Amino acid sequence: MNQLFAIIILTYRESIRKRIFLIIAVFTVLLIILSAFSPVVKPIDRIRLTEAWTLQGIGFFVMLIAVFMAATSLPEDIELKRLFLLLAKPVTKEMLLLGKLLGFVLTTGLFILIMGAISLVYLYIVNWSSGHLTIRDKILPTEMRFTNKTGQDAQGYVTGNYISDKEFTVMIEGEGNNYIGWLFRLRLAEARLWRTQSAAERRRASSNINLNKSKLSEPARPTEGSFGQARAELSLMIGEGQFKVSSEALVRFVNPTTKQEYHKQITLSYKRPEAVEFPAELIDRNGELYVYVSRPEPATYIRAGPASVVLKSLGVIWLQVILLLGFCISGATFLSGGVNVVLNIFIYFVGSGTQFWASSLETMRQAMTSIIRQETLQTITQAPAHSHSPEVYPLWMMKASEFVVDSTLKVFPDFSRFNSGDTYLLNGYAVPWNVFPPLVGYVIFYGIIAFVVGAVAFRLRDIK
Amino acid sequence: MSPDKIAIKTENLTKVYKTTFSRYQVKAVDNLNLEIYEGEIFGLLGPNGSGKTTTIKILLGLLFPTSGLVRVLGKPPDEVIVKDRIGFLPEESYLYRFLNAEETLDFYGRLFRIPRKERLARIDHLIKLVGLDDARKRPVKEYSKGMARRLGFAQALINDPALIILDEPTSGLDPLVARQVKDIILDLQKQGKTIILSSHLLADAETICNRVAILHQGQLQKMGAVKELLQPGETLETLFLKTIQASRS
């Protein structure tokens, strides 16, 4: 234990006595101070900007410390032959690796804590005059917040107004318990079945869809004796710049009179209308039906002040750094410092885009299923084969892409999981405690894998 | 010193260095058979590239031998329990430049799990022994080569080792300090410690070593007691040159 402690302290001393550590610390403080000049109108916006700005700054700079120090520490020991002397002492290579890892965990933790404390003190000072700091309230599940395309409150859609336009655009905001609902009043004259649309019509309709648009084709008006399944067609999309091309949604159909309900979870994709079937008896006698769309697992939010929010966000950042440190230390056992730095930047970069890759892959898979279905249909009906559309990649190319992306996603750690601090803060929400257990588990899982790989490589290596 | 008690034994020890992407191989140590007795000062001599440092690295468990057998204090050298009893001064000091003398010795002392009180006493004693009392708080990066060498010597003794391996212990030292180091080595022998000395300074080796081994191109050329190897009027230097020239031809 004494030996492990000695290596941890040595690593810590090595880090803080390097000039780069001091330089990074100075620039982080500079970044925090710069946030005072953010061009905002309201004090509350300044608070949010300061929080987001400083957290992003601390997150970025601590990543630099992790990569440039942890990835080069062991190769430097090998290159300067300090390891030669160190391993002549009664220290196992595994203990040395663990000590280095924990030493950098300690160093980055202290950096985050000190910079976090500075940013919090600064946050209080800057906003002293405004008299109030952000307090996040719990968002109640009954509360509805959604806007239409022009950003106006779109709550009117659920007040029972008849929707004459069958296509309209709404945007579900935030990550929380917001939902959107419509009351559909069916009129025989305007009822139109999704299945009656020709393929050409459907394509035209799809191509006209804007972003953030939900379209609900009216279900067929039930006729006497024909109660069965009705269908609704939805196409809900995610806003631009969200790095997300598909999303899970919970669709609820509620009978306005009896309150009987049916719900189904679906995956909504970019520019692809989704058909949802529901029991036709949910349409009441007046031909009315409520349809609600929300996130499948609404998050719960807590009431929290800036100190708690900032510290929890920093905790998430630290977990991300620990994960990266595991890879840096592991790579250092068999790579030179320079190569290890580049490799870990690469791992971090690819790992940060994991969610984007996963959702793109999901969309491509849906398209592939559709193409395969069409081809099967053509085989069964022996219809003449259509020439391949030049706008779509051939199937083999998509399969190859699927294999590469799928394999990459299985191997690379998902750093995008650790964006929760940013996601909550930028939307003005508190960071809940329940984000931590899965993230800690994830870090431990990948940390153990990285450590074992590093330890095996290090054990087999000659120290020349 | 007793031939009955063997501190180090190698049998047909061979180490071949291979490069990853080519067939180029170097035989750094070739079928080396050594026996080093407990309590003696053993000189490992040879020109540059003769395999001295590679042999030392194998004895310390840092390199895996390609073939052959090694026993250090009766055990395989990569066992941690063996390293507890070894003190090692490398060719260059390879110290952490950001630590000062006290911190350096404290770090290595902790690696040997020496209790705090004893550790502090030993640090104080060793700093005084190697004459770094005035510079104990200065970071190593400010040290001269000779000072760093003296601190390296101190760290090799922090665990009161039974076996001390010294690679060029007097290089970079002024004659006065070099003399002191030689005295310390002789004193350590008197305390019953086994000392392996790798050196280019043949005059030093001649005065303090009981037995020597001369290596060339990884092979053992000569091994024995200094007194027995030298002809009357011959110095170790002349013997060394003769041996190497004979090996080359």
Side-chain angles (χ1 to χ4, degrees), chain A residues 3 17 84 87 89 462, chain B residues 15 62 98 111 113 155:
Chain A
Q3 295 162 303
R17 290 182 191 180
F84 191 20
L87 290 177
K89 310 296 178 202
D462 270 345
Chain B
K15 177 66 188 179
L62 297 169
F98 51 88
L111 295 185
R113 300 178 297 274
Q155 68 74 32

Side-chain angles (χ1 to χ4, degrees), chain A residues 109-261:
Chain A
L110 280 174
F111 179 86
I112 289 173
L113 202 65
I114 293 167
M115 290 304 149
I118 292 173
S119 70
L120 258 181
V121 169
Y122 185 72
L123 195 69
Y124 279 96
I125 293 171
V126 166
N127 296 288
W128 196 265
S129 56
S130 69
H132 66 279
L133 285 161
T134 319
I135 297 289
R136 278 89 172 167
D137 283 310
K138 187 177 177 181
I139 297 166
L140 299 171
T142 50
E143 193 178 339
M144 279 177 289
R145 279 187 198 167
F146 48 89
T147 54
N148 62 18
K149 194 159 63 175
T150 56
Q152 291 164 331
D153 185 13
Q155 206 156 351
Y157 286 123
V158 290
T159 55
N161 292 345
Y162 171 68
I163 303 161
S164 57
D165 186 1
K166 291 192 203 65
E167 291 185 14
F168 52 91
T169 300
V170 291
M171 185 164 70
I172 298 184
E173 274 195 329
E175 294 278 313
N177 304 304
N178 309 337
Y179 65 95
I180 185 158
W182 296 274
L183 171 66
F184 269 76
R185 195 172 288 162
L186 303 171
R187 290 197 312 189
L188 188 61
E190 294 187 8
R192 194 168 60 160
L193 274 174
W194 178 81
R195 61 174 173 270
T196 60
Q197 285 182 312
S198 69
E201 276 174 338
R202 219 163 56 230
R203 263 204 302 280
R204 200 162 48 242
S206 298
S207 65
N208 289 333
I209 291 168
N210 296 315
L211 286 169
N212 308 322
K213 185 167 189 177
S214 290
K215 180 181 142 208
L216 190 67
S217 291
E218 291 179 0
R221 184 179 184 276
T223 51
E224 292 294 329
S226 68
F227 273 72
Q229 291 288 306
R231 305 178 66 128
E233 184 193 338
L234 292 165
S235 71
L236 186 100
M237 290 163 206
I238 312 302
E240 271 181 301
Q242 298 273 327
F243 287 100
K244 225 173 172 185
V245 288
S246 73
S247 181
E248 293 293 308
L250 184 74
V251 189
R252 286 165 58 221
F253 300 91
V254 181
N255 185 314
T257 314
T258 63
K259 304 294 178 198
Q260 191 188 352
E261 92 168 58

Side-chain angles (χ1 to χ4, degrees), chain A residues 213-438:
Chain A
K213 185 167 189 177
S214 290
K215 180 181 142 208
L216 190 67
S217 291
E218 291 179 0
R221 184 179 184 276
T223 51
E224 292 294 329
S226 68
F227 273 72
Q229 291 288 306
R231 305 178 66 128
E233 184 193 338
L234 292 165
S235 71
L236 186 100
M237 290 163 206
I238 312 302
E240 271 181 301
Q242 298 273 327
F243 287 100
K244 225 173 172 185
V245 288
S246 73
S247 181
E248 293 293 308
L250 184 74
V251 189
R252 286 165 58 221
F253 300 91
V254 181
N255 185 314
T257 314
T258 63
K259 304 294 178 198
Q260 191 188 352
E261 92 168 58
Y262 168 79
H263 62 263
K264 192 170 185 187
Q265 191 171 321
I266 56 168
T267 304
L268 295 163
S269 316
Y270 181 70
K271 285 194 176 181
R272 275 179 57 82
E274 276 300 318
V276 193
E277 291 192 353
F278 62 93
E281 65 261 26
L282 291 175
I283 303 166
D284 77 359
R285 285 182 184 178
N286 301 323
E288 288 181 347
L289 167 75
Y290 278 119
V291 180
Y292 298 95
V293 180
S294 64
R295 288 169 61 84
E297 289 169 16
T300 50
Y301 294 104
I302 48 164
R303 191 181 170 85
S308 146
V309 167
V310 168
L311 288 177
K312 277 191 266 184
S313 302
L314 289 173
V316 174
I317 290 173
W318 192 31
L319 284 174
Q320 185 179 20
V321 173
I322 294 171
L323 179 62
L324 190 62
L325 284 175
F327 286 93
C328 289
I329 296 289
S330 176
T333 58
F334 55 93
L335 294 171
S336 70
V339 175
N340 198 26
V341 165
V342 176
L343 173 77
N344 279 286
I345 290 174
F346 179 75
I347 289 175
Y348 180 65
F349 188 79
V350 175
S352 300
T354 307
Q355 274 183 10
F356 171 70
W357 288 110
S359 55
S360 303
L361 186 65
E362 191 52 44
T363 308
M364 195 186 73
R365 277 181 176 148
Q366 286 176 1
M368 284 164 72
T369 313
S370 164
I371 291 170
I372 292 167
R373 201 180 292 154
Q374 276 178 20
E375 285 180 357
T376 315
L377 204 66
Q378 279 169 8
T379 315
I380 294 167
T381 56
Q382 294 185 332
H386 292 293
S387 58
H388 182 76
S389 165
E391 291 174 8
V392 180
Y393 283 120
L395 201 57
W396 68 265
M397 212 183 260
M398 284 197 257
K399 278 185 177 168
S401 168
E402 182 190 20
F403 174 75
V404 172
V405 174
D406 200 31
S407 312
T408 309
L409 288 177
K410 278 177 186 158
V411 173
F412 274 82
D414 179 8
F415 282 99
S416 57
R417 285 165 185 257
F418 298 87
N419 288 343
S420 54
D422 280 358
T423 312
Y424 290 107
L425 286 183
L426 289 174
N427 289 309
Y429 302 142
V431 182
W433 280 112
N434 63 10
V435 301
F436 284 98

Side-chain angles (χ1 to χ4, degrees), chain B residues 62-216:
Chain B
L62 297 169
L63 292 179
F64 300 104
T66 309
S67 64
L69 184 89
V70 189
R71 285 287 178 272
V72 178
L73 302 172
K75 291 192 160 46
D78 54 344
E79 281 190 18
V80 169
I81 197 163
V82 175
K83 294 180 182 179
D84 260 327
R85 300 175 62 200
I86 298 178
F88 170 54
L89 170 69
E91 206 174 350
E92 282 175 43
S93 297
Y94 308 137
L95 299 166
Y96 289 95
R97 289 163 51 80
F98 51 88
L99 298 178
N100 63 33
E102 277 183 1
E103 288 169 342
T104 302
L105 295 181
D106 188 63
F107 170 64
Y108 290 113
R110 279 175 187 271
L111 295 185
F112 285 102
R113 300 178 297 274
I114 304 168
R116 184 183 151 79
K117 203 175 163 187
E118 195 184 335
R119 196 169 68 229
L120 294 178
R122 269 195 218 173
I123 290 170
D124 193 52
H125 167 71
L126 286 170
I127 284 180
K128 283 176 182 158
L129 184 74
V130 296
L132 287 174
D133 205 13
D134 296 337
R136 56 165 66 204
K137 297 279 185 194
R138 272 168 61 190
V140 172
K141 65 183 166 197
E142 292 177 8
Y143 279 18
S144 68
K145 195 184 172 192
M147 288 166 84
R149 203 80 197 119
R150 280 185 273 163
L151 182 58
F153 192 71
Q155 68 74 32
L157 303 178
I158 190 77
N159 57 327
D160 191 20
L163 171 66
I164 305 165
I165 301 176
L166 305 170
D167 201 353
E168 302 290 348
T170 50
S171 81
L173 299 181
D174 63 56
L176 199 70
V177 182
R179 180 70 253 170
Q180 282 174 347
V181 167
K182 277 186 273 183
D183 288 343
I184 295 171
I185 292 171
L186 289 168
D187 194 43
L188 288 167
Q189 189 195 19
K190 279 181 200 156
Q191 292 171 33
K193 300 182 188 306
T194 311
I195 297 154
I196 299 176
L197 193 76
S198 162
S199 183
H200 286 120
L201 300 172
L202 299 169
D204 287 355
E206 189 178 336
T207 51
I208 60 174
C209 291
N210 304 112
R211 292 196 312 139
V212 293
I214 299 175
L215 302 182
H216 185 229

